[in-house]
Amino acid sequence: MAGVFKQTLDSLTTSSKNSLIVGVIISNSNMREFESRNSWFHTGTRGVWSFTFRDSQKDFTNVTVWGSADYIRGLTARFHIGDVVEIVNGKAVERRPNDRNEEFSPSISCPFALTLNEGTSLIEKYDAPNRGEYLKLLALPTKSVQRVMPLKVVLENVDGMTDQYVDLLVLVVFLSDIREMVTRNGKSQACRDFEVMDESSEAHVRLRLWEVDWVHRSAAWKPRETVLFLADVRIALNPFKKRNVPLLARKTLITENPTIPQTEQLRTLIASRPENSLDNAADLINRKKKFIISEMQVDARREGILKASSTFAAENIKTVMTIEQIIQRLDQRDENLDESVREQFATIVFAVVTDMNADNSEPGLIVTRCSRCKRMVPPSQDSCMNLDCPFGNGTRAPENVRTFNLRLNLKDDTGYLIGCKATGKPAEELLGCDPEEFEAMSVEDRQKIKWRFLMEKCDVRLRVLGPSSNWPRPLYQIMSIRALRGPSTEEESHSDSL
């Protein structure tokens, strides 16, 4: 390639230009989108994608790619872990020890990271005869095996290791199916749980994959055969279990079946244990059944959030509470209640609407959901990602519906409820239109709808769902809302009960 000079990571410097480096992608993070408003040159929706790149036994670095959202989305769809690529005209940026980004990026061997920009840099597939030499780098651990900590030591000292990182060499013993979870910003996110153990303990540790590439790549893992070298597993406090647990973080690097003697030793040691110390086939079947039941319960709770049963229908809600009483009830959660179960109840609140996103043009105001399983359909997809749904697994053509995702803030004399949610029919009744009619409205018409309720005292029928180990924050779902203009007989009739 004219004007480009082939280099290696160990020969690259911050002043290098027109370089071409060949290597393999050994880890990959999900792309992130953001709105660029501060630059006259780059405006609109932008994207950023990071991956870890290795070109020799000792040299690997982190690469960050910037560009338009469509450009980054195309790259993440095309390049995956295990791809041998050539990077053209990447900019080497010196790493700074005190840079906060270093805390959340994988530990690397190079003194610099690479930055690629749309229009000035390039990444392409590499398919020369020596491609196999780079593929071998996938099985090399990114840290010394001497730093591996036995799981028994980790579990015995976990309470005193908050926010510390450990390296583990473990055997996969259980792998769940892929499932979808809704993140705090309302987006659908694929994830997969798996369990690991090592020779130091019979205890199993559950971990979760969030990066899409790893979620799908893990489908090839085989329980009791696949060994993982996990570099920089974070020890962090689980607020619901009220104890520290190991978890995979953005900093974590995974090496599958590393080419080291300890890999086969681990398989052999665990396989040689007495039968009664191992999970037999029946145990694994029971574990799978329990996991499926648990996932069905989680799905049922998710769908319950989107579509309330008749018990929570607005006309059946009679109990009146203040905001303070709602918060107190959530704080007084029964300690004997399973951590994965959400406490839920319905109530009437007489409160003022202090804010509503009805006149906001943000993309999340109207969302697309699968008409069957009610899960969110990502903007880049035609259907849900639910493999148990005929629309999601491709056996039937997708059928989607568009629905509101309204958020309101409420206030009474005792406190605030932030981020109350109105979706589906309650949202349409509140706004007096469907999503298509709403999109056709002018900004002025949307503001008129908003001001019908803003700073008005309202009769709000709420379904309240408390936090759990799967849902870290409470959810306040609006079943109906009615502005109270003038005396309210219903409110007065309840005044003695407050």
Side-chain angles (χ1 to χ4, degrees):
M1 186 178 293
V4 173
F5 305 94
K6 187 171 182 179
Q7 293 186 252
T8 56
L9 287 176
D10 64 351
S11 68
L12 207 62
T13 67
T14 55
S15 60
S16 297
K17 294 182 179 180
N18 301 323
S19 61
L20 184 152
I21 312 168
V22 178
V24 62
I25 297 175
I26 63 172
S27 191
N28 188 358
S29 67
N30 298 335
M31 73 164 287
R32 289 175 288 132
E33 296 184 25
F34 59 95
E35 292 297 323
S36 177
R37 299 185 178 91
N38 298 326
S39 171
W40 63 269
F41 187 71
H42 294 303
T43 58
T45 305
R46 305 281 294 166
V48 59
W49 168 48
S50 299
F51 62 91
T52 304
F53 174 83
R54 188 170 196 169
D55 77 339
S56 69
Q57 292 188 21
K58 63 183 181 67
D59 296 312
F60 55 97
T61 191
N62 294 321
V63 182
T64 304
V65 190
W66 301 86
S68 65
D70 288 341
Y71 173 74
I72 300 299
R73 200 176 294 118
L75 290 182
T76 56
R78 184 182 174 198
F79 297 103
H80 305 283
I81 296 167
D83 285 341
V84 180
V85 299
E86 52 185 23
I87 295 176
V88 180
N89 202 27
K91 181 180 180 182
V93 180
E94 187 175 0
R95 296 165 55 205
R96 299 173 182 172
N98 297 325
D99 189 345
R100 183 168 174 78
N101 288 331
E102 289 289 314
E103 299 179 25
F104 306 103
S105 301
S107 299
I108 55 179
S109 62
C110 295
F112 55 81
L114 285 176
T115 298
L116 310 182
N117 289 288
E118 179 183 4
T120 61
S121 305
L122 190 65
I123 176 171
E124 290 290 345
K125 293 283 183 71
Y126 181 80
D127 199 23
N130 64 337
R131 178 175 175 273
E133 295 301 313
Y134 292 101
L135 290 176
K136 294 179 181 178
L137 301 177
L138 283 169
L140 294 180
T142 54
K143 284 189 175 183
S144 170
V145 183
Q146 303 303 319
R147 299 184 56 178
V148 166
M149 186 175 292
L151 272 180
K152 182 178 180 180
V153 175
V154 174
L155 297 177
E156 289 176 349
N157 299 277
V158 71
D159 290 335
M161 300 174 66
T162 304
D163 291 332
Q164 294 185 31
Y165 291 88
V166 298
D167 301 334
L168 304 174
L169 183 67
V170 292
L171 182 72
V172 175
V173 292
F174 174 73
L175 188 67
S176 80
D177 295 327
I178 297 175
R179 62 192 180 102
E180 295 292 320
M181 295 188 70
V182 179
T183 61
R184 294 180 182 180
N185 59 7
K187 293 185 177 180
S188 181
Q189 175 67 58
C191 66
R192 168 172 276 167
D193 290 347
F194 65 102
E195 292 182 9
V196 299
M197 66 182 300
D198 68 7
E199 73 276 13
S200 70
S201 171
E202 294 183 5
H204 292 182
V205 173
R206 172 161 288 206
L207 299 169
R208 176 170 293 170
L209 295 165
W210 285 104
E211 307 299 339
V212 173
D213 238 22
W214 277 119
V215 168
H216 292 286
R217 189 175 177 87
S218 62
W221 295 355
K222 297 180 180 180
R224 300 203 173 276
E225 291 186 25
T226 300
V227 174
L228 303 177
F229 181 88
L230 305 176
D232 290 321
V233 173
R234 187 184 178 201
I235 308 298
L237 178 66
N238 184 312
F240 301 100
K241 295 183 178 180
K242 296 182 173 60
R243 65 175 185 269
N244 283 347
V245 296
L247 57 85
L248 303 184
R250 289 176 60 187
K251 195 176 184 69
T252 307
L253 286 177
I254 303 174
T255 303
E256 301 164 305
N257 295 316
T259 51
I260 52 176
Q262 291 87 341
T263 296
E264 192 55 42
Q265 291 173 10
L266 177 59
R267 291 195 191 104
T268 303
L269 283 170
I270 293 181
S272 64
R273 287 180 176 176
E275 184 68 21
N276 59 9
S277 70
L278 296 174
D279 286 325
N280 55 34
D283 291 331
L284 288 175
I285 292 173
N286 289 334
R287 182 185 295 272
K288 184 73 173 179
K289 286 181 178 178
K290 289 179 180 178
F291 184 85
I292 291 173
I293 291 172
S294 173
E295 294 306 296
M296 290 173 64
Q297 291 171 341
V298 171
D299 286 343
R301 287 194 294 274
R302 179 189 292 117
E303 292 187 18
I305 293 172
L306 301 174
K307 183 178 181 181
S309 65
S310 60
T311 304
F312 296 97
E315 61 272 15
N316 294 333
I317 301 175
K318 305 299 181 183
T319 304
V320 178
M321 299 175 72
T322 64
I323 290 177
E324 182 180 37
Q325 290 171 333
I326 293 173
I327 302 302
Q328 287 176 347
R329 177 163 175 177
L330 292 176
D331 289 341
Q332 295 170 356
R333 176 185 172 89
D334 186 352
E335 294 183 357
N336 296 320
L337 194 64
D338 189 285
E339 293 174 348
S340 65
V341 176
R342 302 189 79 169
E343 180 180 10
Q344 53 180 317
F345 56 91
T347 184
I348 301 172
V349 178
F350 297 109
V352 172
V353 177
T354 61
D355 194 17
M356 180 194 301
N357 66 340
D359 62 343
N360 197 325
S361 59
E362 62 182 29
L365 178 58
I366 297 176
V367 297
T368 302
R369 295 189 185 277
C370 174
S371 62
R372 183 182 179 91
C373 69
K374 307 305 180 187
R375 296 189 184 182
M376 265 190 170
V377 177
S380 59
Q381 302 291 332
D382 295 325
S383 67
C384 66
M385 303 293 288
N386 180 10
L387 297 180
D388 296 324
C389 174
F391 301 146
N393 60 29
T395 57
R396 290 180 58 185
E399 293 180 12
N400 301 323
V401 295
R402 304 182 71 214
T403 181
F404 288 110
N405 187 33
L406 277 176
R407 296 190 179 276
L408 296 82
N409 296 339
L410 303 177
K411 173 185 179 298
D412 70 3
D413 294 336
T414 66
Y416 292 83
L417 286 183
I418 306 299
C420 300
K421 189 174 181 180
T423 63
K425 186 177 179 180
E428 292 185 10
E429 291 177 347
L430 187 158
L431 297 175
C433 62
D434 60 29
E436 287 70 26
E437 293 170 334
F438 183 82
E439 286 185 322
M441 290 183 182
S442 64
V443 175
E444 292 76 14
D445 289 337
R446 295 182 185 184
Q447 289 175 340
K448 288 178 182 178
I449 294 176
K450 176 177 179 178
W451 280 98
R452 286 212 311 259
F453 296 93
L454 206 61
M455 304 314 296
E456 291 282 349
K457 193 166 188 178
C458 296
D459 174 323
V460 186
R461 311 289 169 115
L462 285 176
R463 183 188 187 193
V464 181
L465 291 95
S468 72
S469 57
N470 295 314
W471 300 84
R473 295 157 72 175
L475 186 145
Y476 310 106
Q477 183 185 13
I478 295 175
M479 308 309 298
S480 75
I481 181 171
R482 176 173 59 87
L484 297 174
R485 294 180 175 86
S488 170
T489 304
E490 184 175 11
E491 182 177 3
E492 291 173 356
S493 66
H494 290 290
S495 60
D496 294 335
S497 66
L498 296 180

